[in-house]
Amino acid sequence: MDKIPEAVMRRLPRYYRHLTGLENNGITRVSSKQLGESLIMTASQIRHDLNFFGGFGQQGYGYNVSELKEKLVHILGIDISRKLVIVGAGNIGTALARHRDFEKEGYKIVGLFDSNKDLIGQEITGIKIYDIDDLADFIEKNGVDIVALTVPAKYAQKIAHISQKAGAKAIWNFAPVDVLLDGVEVENIHLTDSLMTLSFRLSGKQN
Amino acid sequence: MDKIPEAVMRRLPRYYRHLTGLENNGITRVSSKQLGESLIMTASQIRHDLNFFGGFGQQGYGYNVSELKEKLVHILGIDISRKLVIVGAGNIGTALARHRDFEKEGYKIVGLFDSNKDLIGQEITGIKIYDIDDLADFIEKNGVDIVALTVPAKYAQKIAHISQKAGAKAIWNFAPVDVLLDGVEVENIHLTDSLMTLSFRLSGKQN
DNA sequence: TAAAGTTTGTGATAATATTAACATATATTT
DNA sequence: AAATATATGTTAATATTATCACAAACTTTA
């Protein structure tokens, strides 16, 4: 398979999400034109994107919603269950632990980690809080794939490094720093950065 | 000022964040080369980006950290304080309310809204929870700029629409849907989408 | 079942974005 | 104070991304 462009890859979850919605509404068929209208993008781009993975559609008909959705499940790799731990049992960390959406897509949160001795041993919706000193060991023993970092900025890089050494394959970083690692996939959620783009766009319009 | 490309705009908060870090470490001067090494990007791109806003640097010297940071503050518009409400006092909504980082950059969370009568009247770190039926009124009376949506997908579009009509200028959307509105800036945080890009990248490498 | 209408897949074109290259200006060294 | 090193701002070249346009294939209608 050809290398998938970054821009295309980033749109795939959106397609998947929309198709799931259509399926839940009992819609069985959809055209790139309809998708484009719903997602505010050109039909051409959608066809172009999907074509990186082969022709799923049919001329004069469009796409079969369920079939296309299933293809996307496979392309995205969400048919493979992934084990995830959350490091940092603060506001964001516990919110993620309580958030049930990830489970639906095959992500299993197998542990929460913190350095606060008062929290260790507690449970959040069935997820146990462990001592952060046991993180490496836990990752190794349980085959953890993804480490979500919801720790203060100054600890993020170090924990990321420990996680990688212990065998984690991906870092989902919520700390407001740029985690630098080689050989590990890093995906950032920078909430403040995101908010700032709104400020920029608002002030540009003199609002 | 020329129209700033989307890609450039998205990098500005990252520059700002990094410069703040340098300043806090007492570093007063930095070159595009050094910035590039820290941020894993080319020096050329950094210079190119900054030049959309004018020449802040000096040949042979580089950039003055504090000065450049202050310029970015102004460019990003975070020198203008913004009022924000959070709609949805669930996991994510309350985590955002408790998260102190936004205040530091001039964002004021002035209210939380929910439909659950048991929550209404309660406070979360000093932020009162109001009845969602009073949202439009509150936005109008208090001049709310930004509405953060942490509600279930099916309510998001409707609340966004109400918020716009009441005078909100921007939607910070955490619901897993694509909010469609004209004349309002929408910024999405799609956590599950983000997680899925990790799955994609991991499965592509047969991990 | 023939004609008309859809809609895909795809190659060509246009628009954005990134990187390279370098003249010019300043800082640092000797 | 001259020589060397550094580093910007900016234009040009390259690479990536998005859109256009249309033949080919299928569906729907009459």
Side-chain angles (χ1 to χ4, degrees):
Chain A
M1 197 192 287
D2 273 0
K3 175 101 187 335
I4 305 307
E6 172 82 10
V8 174
M9 185 265 278
R10 296 237 156 243
R11 283 190 292 267
L12 298 178
R14 201 147 151 253
Y15 297 152
Y16 168 75
R17 185 154 41 79
H18 190 72
L19 287 165
T20 302
L22 291 178
E23 197 180 43
N24 289 343
N25 286 326
I27 294 162
T28 57
R29 124 182 212 189
V30 72
S31 69
S32 60
K33 186 160 172 261
Q34 292 170 316
L35 284 172
E37 275 159 16
S38 302
L39 299 170
I40 311 283
M41 55 199 299
T42 64
S44 183
Q45 179 166 64
I46 291 167
R47 294 200 301 277
H48 216 279
D49 283 358
L50 296 177
N51 249 109
F52 277 97
F53 307 99
F56 306 141
Q58 195 154 59
Q59 281 110 321
Y61 179 88
Y63 300 87
N64 177 293
V65 170
S66 301
E67 190 189 313
L68 183 54
K69 197 198 93 172
E70 281 313 307
K71 295 283 184 189
L72 282 170
V73 164
H74 185 66
I75 292 164
L76 280 166
I78 49 181
D79 46 357
I80 300 165
S81 178
R82 298 284 181 186
K83 286 189 192 167
L84 197 147
V85 294
I86 299 166
V87 184
N91 300 323
I92 306 284
T94 54
L96 291 178
R98 289 201 175 91
H99 197 61
R100 298 268 75 112
D101 283 13
F102 310 132
E103 275 174 16
K104 281 188 241 157
E105 310 299 350
Y107 298 95
K108 254 200 144 126
I109 302 175
V110 294
L112 254 164
F113 288 82
D114 207 287
S115 59
N116 183 342
K117 304 291 177 197
D118 295 338
L119 296 174
I120 296 164
Q122 289 187 25
E123 273 193 12
I124 293 193
T125 54
I127 301 162
K128 226 174 158 183
I129 303 179
Y130 299 99
D131 189 325
I132 198 164
D133 291 338
D134 300 329
L135 177 64
D137 213 46
F138 188 96
I139 290 171
E140 208 175 323
K141 287 220 177 81
N142 294 277
V144 170
D145 302 287
I146 303 171
V147 174
L149 291 183
T150 65
V151 297
K154 60 178 165 176
Y155 305 120
Q157 180 65 43
K158 191 182 162 195
I159 297 170
H161 186 245
I162 290 169
S163 302
Q164 171 177 37
K165 267 185 37 184
K169 300 287 186 297
I171 301 288
W172 198 24
N173 176 47
F174 288 74
V177 286
D178 300 295
V179 169
L180 312 178
L181 284 176
D182 238 32
V184 175
E185 300 294 336
V186 178
E187 170 75 6
N188 294 300
I189 301 279
H190 288 323
L191 295 176
T192 306
D193 287 21
S194 166
L195 198 44
M196 285 179 182
T197 70
L198 284 177
S199 289
F200 178 85
R201 289 182 266 167
L202 291 182
S203 61
K205 298 167 127 196
Q206 279 84 40
N207 283 320
Chain B
M1 197 191 288
D2 273 0
K3 174 103 187 335
I4 306 307
E6 173 81 10
V8 173
M9 185 265 276
R10 295 233 157 248
R11 282 190 292 267
L12 298 179
R14 200 147 153 256
Y15 297 151
Y16 168 74
R17 185 155 40 78
H18 190 72
L19 287 164
T20 302
L22 292 178
E23 198 181 42
N24 290 343
N25 286 324
I27 295 162
T28 57
R29 124 182 212 190
V30 72
S31 69
S32 61
K33 186 160 171 260
Q34 292 170 315
L35 283 173
E37 275 159 17
S38 302
L39 299 170
I40 311 283
M41 55 200 299
T42 64
S44 184
Q45 179 165 64
I46 292 167
R47 292 201 302 276
H48 210 278
D49 283 358
L50 295 178
N51 251 106
F52 278 97
F53 307 99
F56 307 141
Q58 194 156 59
Q59 282 113 318
Y61 178 88
Y63 301 88
N64 177 292
V65 170
S66 300
E67 190 191 314
L68 183 54
K69 197 199 92 171
E70 281 314 306
K71 294 284 185 189
L72 282 169
V73 163
H74 183 66
I75 292 163
L76 279 165
I78 49 180
D79 45 358
I80 301 165
S81 178
R82 299 285 181 187
K83 285 188 194 168
L84 197 147
V85 293
I86 299 166
V87 184
N91 301 323
I92 306 283
T94 53
L96 291 178
R98 290 200 174 92
H99 196 62
R100 299 267 76 112
D101 283 14
F102 310 132
E103 276 175 16
K104 282 188 244 160
E105 310 298 351
Y107 298 96
K108 253 197 144 128
I109 303 175
V110 293
L112 254 163
F113 288 81
D114 207 288
S115 59
N116 182 343
K117 305 290 177 198
D118 295 338
L119 296 175
I120 296 164
Q122 289 188 23
E123 272 193 12
I124 292 195
T125 54
I127 302 161
K128 226 174 157 183
I129 303 179
Y130 300 98
D131 191 325
I132 197 162
D133 291 339
D134 301 329
L135 177 64
D137 214 47
F138 187 95
I139 290 171
E140 209 174 323
K141 288 219 176 81
N142 294 277
V144 170
D145 304 287
I146 303 172
V147 175
L149 290 182
T150 65
V151 296
K154 60 178 166 178
Y155 304 120
Q157 180 66 41
K158 193 181 162 197
I159 298 170
H161 187 245
I162 290 169
S163 302
Q164 171 176 38
K165 266 185 36 185
K169 300 285 184 300
I171 302 288
W172 197 24
N173 176 47
F174 288 75
V177 286
D178 300 293
V179 169
L180 311 178
L181 284 177
D182 239 31
V184 175
E185 301 294 337
V186 178
E187 169 76 8
N188 294 301
I189 300 279
H190 288 322
L191 294 176
T192 306
D193 288 21
S194 165
L195 199 43
M196 285 179 182
T197 69
L198 284 177
S199 290
F200 178 85
R201 288 183 267 167
L202 291 182
S203 62
K205 298 168 126 193
Q206 279 85 41
N207 283 319

